[in-house]
Amino acid sequence: MSTADPASPAHGVWADVVGQDAAVRQFRRAASPEGSLAQAWLITGPPGSGRSTAARAFAATLQCETGTGCGHCHPCRTVLANTHPDVTVVATDKVSIAKEEVRGLVMTAQRAPATGRHRVLIVEDADRMSAGTFNVLLKSIEEPPPSTVWMLCAPSAEDLAPTIKSRCRLVSLSVPPSDVVAELLRRRDGIDGNLAVRAARAAQGHIGLALRYATQEGALAAREDSARTLLDLRTTGDAVLAAQGLVDRATAEAKAHADAVATEEKEHFLRSAGIDDGKVPPSLRSQVRQLEEDAKRRQTRLVRDVLDRYLLDAHSVLRDVLSRQLGTDSELVNVEVAAEIDQAASGGTGKATLELLEAIQVARQRISGNVPPLLAIEALLARIAVS
């Protein structure tokens, strides 16, 4: 059993919610007998800041036998393992969360807890709900049963409909420092110290991405190669070729993941339907087609996510260039390509680099707004090449 101080924000189920001490204190105070527990919460923070981890820890604390989120009792362990009967988590890797899925949540929200003190519903990526889907959710957020607690996670409060966010208690998370993320990788995942530091620095506080860099072979090297390619762009032709290669790799990565998930889902569906010869009867073919459509939407979303990850890396490279141009003492994110960064800095101006940083943000907005990814990436890289 842990001997950690139960008053410490890092105790028990909160141990992996790193760099968020103020938010953890707010959650724990609300869960205490002396606190005021809102029935709808909006947990915001940049990607990788730990929104869903914080929501699960809060849910475990609400169900905990001791009320502290001890991490040892049966309710704590089952919440963290996603097996507690009174805690429902909705996460999506598709473009949006469907109305039908939210209607199911609303029905679940009306049921009394089966074993715990609360019925908790966690919606990860709540920003992926449409205006119509928000309307489905609104009444349940406004008038939940006494034992129901909603937790919505999103990058910012502005990503949700005003009618929803005005009815939630807001908790804002920040990007955790790289050294805190590195320590988490060492403690939780057993990552070597030097590798943990490199991965955390490259991920810029994104915990999930840091773990990927630390555990996926070649991920850090590929990131460094992309940085060198970006800094070596000289012509529009270079930009077009680089953009095509990037989109091709993103599409292949997304398709591989989407296909694997689709195969698993189809096999599960066939087993559940008692089909062992692969022959789907006419009455079930519409459900199989729906699984195929879900796979396409999942791939579309994953392509955007992979490209956005690249754009964030490109932003960090140009920010390092700007840091050199301005003569600041801040540590480089991309230490491994410091020589190339110095060369790029000496060949341009701070004003031009600032304009390129703004262009990256525009490209991110265009891709999220359904502009064809290849066009958005080509336009950006061409601008970087001729700058």
Side-chain angles (χ1 to χ4, degrees), residues 131 134-135 138-139 141-142 160-168:
F134 280 131
N135 290 335
L138 180 58
K139 185 170 180 60
I141 291 286
E142 284 182 321
L160 270 65
T163 51
I164 295 289
K165 67 183 182 182
S166 66
R167 289 161 174 80
C168 297

Side-chain angles (χ1 to χ4, degrees), residues 65-277:
E65 291 175 355
T66 68
T68 63
C70 68
H72 305 296
C73 67
H74 182 70
C76 279
R77 287 185 282 108
T78 53
V79 171
L80 296 185
N82 290 330
T83 58
H84 194 289
D86 297 323
V87 178
T88 303
V89 180
V90 169
T92 184
D93 54 8
K94 292 176 284 189
V95 175
S96 61
I97 298 175
K99 281 186 181 180
E100 292 73 19
E101 199 165 10
V102 175
R103 287 194 181 100
L105 274 182
V106 169
M107 292 178 63
T108 299
Q110 300 306 308
R111 298 204 299 262
T115 63
R117 290 191 293 271
H118 302 277
R119 169 75 59 184
V120 181
L121 301 107
I122 300 172
V123 182
E124 298 182 7
D125 300 308
D127 53 306
R128 295 189 187 181
M129 289 190 284
S130 67
T133 306
F134 280 131
N135 290 335
V136 172
L137 181 64
L138 180 58
K139 185 170 180 60
S140 187
I141 291 286
E142 284 182 321
E143 301 173 4
S147 58
T148 294
V149 178
W150 285 91
M151 301 181 193
L152 310 181
C153 305
S156 75
E158 303 310 311
D159 294 318
L160 270 65
T163 51
I164 295 289
K165 67 183 182 182
S166 66
R167 289 161 174 80
C168 297
R169 184 177 298 178
L170 176 65
V171 179
S172 298
L173 308 184
S174 59
V175 176
S178 292
D179 60 336
V180 172
V181 175
E183 175 57 31
L184 175 65
L185 296 182
R186 286 191 291 262
R187 170 177 56 80
R188 184 191 66 186
D189 304 301
I191 305 299
D192 170 76
N194 290 334
L195 178 57
V197 169
R198 285 183 60 205
R201 185 180 65 241
Q204 303 171 75
H206 190 302
I207 297 171
L209 190 53
L211 181 60
R212 176 181 179 273
Y213 284 145
T215 57
Q216 184 171 320
E217 185 177 358
L220 279 173
R223 184 183 185 279
E224 292 164 17
D225 287 343
S226 294
R228 291 189 175 92
T229 299
L230 180 76
L231 293 170
D232 198 39
L233 293 174
R234 295 292 181 268
T235 68
T236 301
D238 291 341
V240 170
L241 288 174
Q244 185 65 63
L246 178 64
V247 172
D248 286 347
R249 289 194 300 274
T251 302
E253 181 179 336
K255 186 176 187 306
H257 179 79
D259 286 350
V261 174
T263 298
E264 183 179 343
E265 288 182 343
K266 185 175 181 179
E267 289 175 351
H268 176 74
F269 171 75
L270 294 177
R271 285 196 305 270
S272 301
I275 300 171
D276 54 13
D277 59 1

Side-chain angles (χ1 to χ4, degrees), residues 233 239-240 242-247 307-308 310-311 363-364 366-367 371-384:
L233 293 174
V240 170
Q244 185 65 63
L246 178 64
V247 172
L307 292 176
D308 193 63
Y310 168 79
L311 292 175
R364 294 182 68 199
R366 286 175 175 170
I367 291 174
V371 170
L374 182 58
L375 292 181
I377 297 294
E378 278 184 353
L380 172 66
L381 297 189
R383 182 168 180 179
I384 292 174

